[in-house]
Amino acid sequence: MGRCMFCDIIARREKAYILYENDDVCCFLDKYPINKGHVLVVPKKHYEEFSEVDSRSLAEVILLGQRIARILEKVLKPDGITVLQNNGIFKDVPHYHMHIFPRYKEDGFSWNEPDLEVSGEYFELFQQKIMEHLSMD
C-alpha cells in the first residue's frame, strides 16, 4: 500500500481541519465539499472497505456520524442531511470513510436512480439467498 491521505491526516503529516478524535476515529472537514459543512468520519485503523472494518471502529464511526449530523442540523439549519459512504471503485480515497453533509433544496447534488424493473420472483429468490448467508454468519 502506498501513502494514504487519511492516515497522513490522522498522523498530522497532512493538513486538515480536524473537528474531533478519540482512540478509534478521526473526524474532519472534507477538502472537496459537496456543501459547506461536509464532514468525513474515518476509523484511525486503516481499512479500505466497509466490510473489513472492525466492530468497535464501525460503531464509533456511526455514532460520531450521528453526533455530527445533529450538530450540523443545529448549527446550519439545512433542509436535510445526507450520510453516505462508497466502496470498491466508487470511493475516492482507499481508506473507509463516512460522509455527513448538509443538504439544501436546489443544492445541485443528486442521486440518479436507474429505471430498473425487478420481478417479485427475483425479490423472493434474492431474499432467500441473503437469508441463507445471514444464517451462516
Side-chain angles (χ1 to χ4, degrees):
M1 177 187 93
R3 292 202 45 171
C4 169
M5 180 187 344
F6 291 170
C7 288
D8 286 347
I9 287 171
I10 292 163
R12 306 300 198 272
R13 292 186 298 262
E14 177 83 26
K15 172 91 170 118
Y17 296 94
I18 295 175
L19 304 174
Y20 176 85
E21 69 179 319
N22 63 23
D23 291 341
D24 301 304
V25 295
C26 186
C27 169
F28 47 89
L29 295 175
D30 193 318
K31 289 183 180 183
Y32 307 102
I34 289 172
N35 281 319
K36 291 179 180 175
H38 186 153
V39 176
L40 300 176
V41 181
V42 305
K44 285 190 168 181
K45 291 180 188 173
H46 183 90
Y47 298 100
E48 287 196 19
E49 300 294 341
F50 172 75
S51 58
E52 299 170 351
V53 183
D54 70 272
S55 297
R56 179 181 169 140
S57 296
L58 193 57
E60 289 287 326
V61 167
I62 195 67
L63 292 172
L64 181 55
Q66 183 184 50
R67 285 178 64 195
I68 292 296
R70 288 176 176 159
I71 292 167
L72 292 176
E73 288 169 339
K74 184 177 184 178
V75 172
L76 298 175
K77 309 279 192 258
D79 296 320
I81 298 287
T82 291
V83 177
L84 66 82
Q85 64 88 206
N86 297 301
N87 284 301
I89 65 170
F90 302 102
K91 65 184 179 298
D92 50 355
V93 176
H95 186 127
Y96 169 75
H97 57 288
M98 179 177 287
H99 298 259
I100 298 99
F101 55 94
R103 296 294 313 282
Y104 303 93
K105 191 173 183 176
E106 309 297 329
D107 66 8
F109 182 78
S110 67
W111 183 298
N112 296 320
E113 296 181 18
D115 187 15
L116 179 67
E117 291 188 31
V118 181
S119 69
E121 179 184 7
Y122 172 83
F123 279 123
E124 290 173 10
L125 290 171
F126 191 69
Q127 175 191 29
Q128 185 175 359
K129 187 178 287 190
I130 296 301
M131 290 173 68
E132 287 171 11
H133 282 272
L134 284 170
S135 68
M136 289 186 252
D137 282 351

